Amino acid sequence: MGSFTRWTSGTGIAVAAGGMLVATCPAPSMATTRLVRVPCSVTALNAAITAADTSPGLILRLAPRCVYDIQTPATAATGLPTITGDVTLLGGPGTTIRRAPAAAAFRVLDVAAGARLSLAGIAILNGSTSGLGGGIQNAGRLVLSRVTIAGNTAGSGGAIAGLAGSRTTVSRSALQQNATTGVGGGGMLNSGTAVLYATAVRYNTAPVNGGGVNTQPNGATQLIRTTVERNVSGGLGGGLSNLGNTTLSHTRVQFNRASAGGGIATGNANVLISRSIVRANIPDNCSPLNTIAGCVN
């Protein structure tokens, strides 16, 4: 399946922000890790993921300047094999995984409960599903670093859908130009635990609530040094819609649009804004009016 290189130690980067550690790149926990180079072939990528699902310690190095163009999905609903183990995909300049433009509708990636997927240096494009997560559906653990998720469409969670019990960490990445056809979360629908660090959430759309990020009743979302801008909701919360818990630290929410709560809309009192800016949203910054401390309309 490719050449193997032994690493005697894994290296990882973590950034302390807002009192917590945020992983910014996949960090192998094993003392010895095998690096597998995956040629520019969807068939080869499918085989490599299938092997990695049952082989702890495999790190898949995808080809730079390669578009893994998925014509036929690996499962009925997902382009690549379901992630059931601990899988790491490392890209390079120009590495892209996408649903081919003329292909039938399917999401790109699916992470099963109890599994972990780490992505770095990869673009995830053009997924499409009437269900959850046009780019990635996550029921387990998802760690993204320097990843662009763009042009995906779903019933809810255009780029990412974090299901109940999931953990999602997005660092130095972009969720942009994604859309939903149902409830909301053009950029992300979160029913689990999510941290977005130094990430851009922009130009996403939803017909109902949360053009950028939609946090569901059991969800908890932290945005740290993140920008949420120019997202559009046909309902509430152009930038952010909250029914769970949402925390902003050193974050900008600006130039978003909705019917109310152009920046942030919440159905409870669980929005905390710290050293952040919420401004220039249409028709207002936050809804209900004067219910979110630190948000001035």
Side-chain angles (χ1 to χ4, degrees):
M1 186 167 53
S3 60
F4 290 82
T5 302
R6 289 197 172 273
W7 291 4
T8 57
S9 63
T11 58
I13 301 172
V15 176
M20 68 179 298
L21 290 177
V22 178
T24 61
C25 68
S29 58
M30 300 181 63
T32 301
T33 304
R34 292 179 294 168
L35 181 66
V36 177
R37 300 189 182 277
V38 181
C40 189
S41 158
V42 173
T43 299
L45 179 56
N46 285 345
I49 290 174
T50 299
D53 269 335
T54 58
S55 303
L58 291 187
I59 293 180
L60 307 182
R61 169 70 77 178
L62 276 58
R65 295 173 292 281
C66 169
V67 177
Y68 292 87
D69 220 7
I70 306 170
Q71 301 281 348
T72 303
T75 72
T78 307
L80 295 175
T82 301
I83 305 300
T84 58
D86 188 345
V87 177
T88 298
L89 304 180
L90 301 181
T95 302
T96 299
I97 303 172
R98 73 172 184 179
R99 180 182 68 88
F106 53 82
R107 73 173 58 84
V108 179
L109 283 158
D110 187 10
V111 184
R116 173 187 168 110
L117 173 63
S118 300
L119 296 177
I122 298 171
I124 305 295
L125 308 180
N126 203 37
S128 179
T129 177
S130 59
L132 300 175
I136 305 173
Q137 177 176 259
N138 175 36
R141 177 82 184 273
L142 177 64
V143 180
L144 308 180
S145 176
R146 297 176 289 106
V147 170
T148 296
I149 307 183
N152 302 280
T153 303
S156 296
I160 301 171
L163 307 188
S166 67
R167 298 172 62 191
T168 303
T169 303
V170 184
S171 175
R172 293 184 171 87
S173 296
L175 312 181
Q176 61 188 31
Q177 296 179 309
N178 302 285
T180 71
T181 58
V183 172
M188 181 176 187
L189 180 83
N190 179 36
S191 297
T193 301
V195 177
L196 278 66
Y197 174 80
T199 287
V201 181
R202 58 196 177 198
Y203 297 107
N204 302 287
T205 61
V208 187
N209 296 340
V213 178
N214 181 311
T215 302
Q216 290 288 290
N218 294 322
T221 304
Q222 289 187 304
L223 298 99
I224 303 167
R225 300 189 185 279
T226 285
T227 300
V228 181
E229 64 181 6
R230 303 187 188 281
N231 302 284
V232 177
S233 169
L236 303 175
L240 306 172
S241 173
N242 175 66
L243 293 174
N245 289 270
T246 297
T247 302
L248 287 72
S249 175
H250 298 87
T251 287
R252 291 178 180 267
V253 180
Q254 58 190 13
F255 312 130
N256 302 284
R257 183 187 297 268
S259 62
I264 306 172
T266 185
N268 56 38
N270 301 330
V271 176
L272 176 63
I273 299 177
S274 174
R275 297 184 180 181
S276 297
I277 295 173
V278 184
R279 66 176 184 184
N281 299 284
I282 299 172
D284 49 19
N285 287 320
C286 293
S287 177
L289 182 66
N290 298 324
T291 59
I292 301 176
C295 184
V296 178
N297 286 316

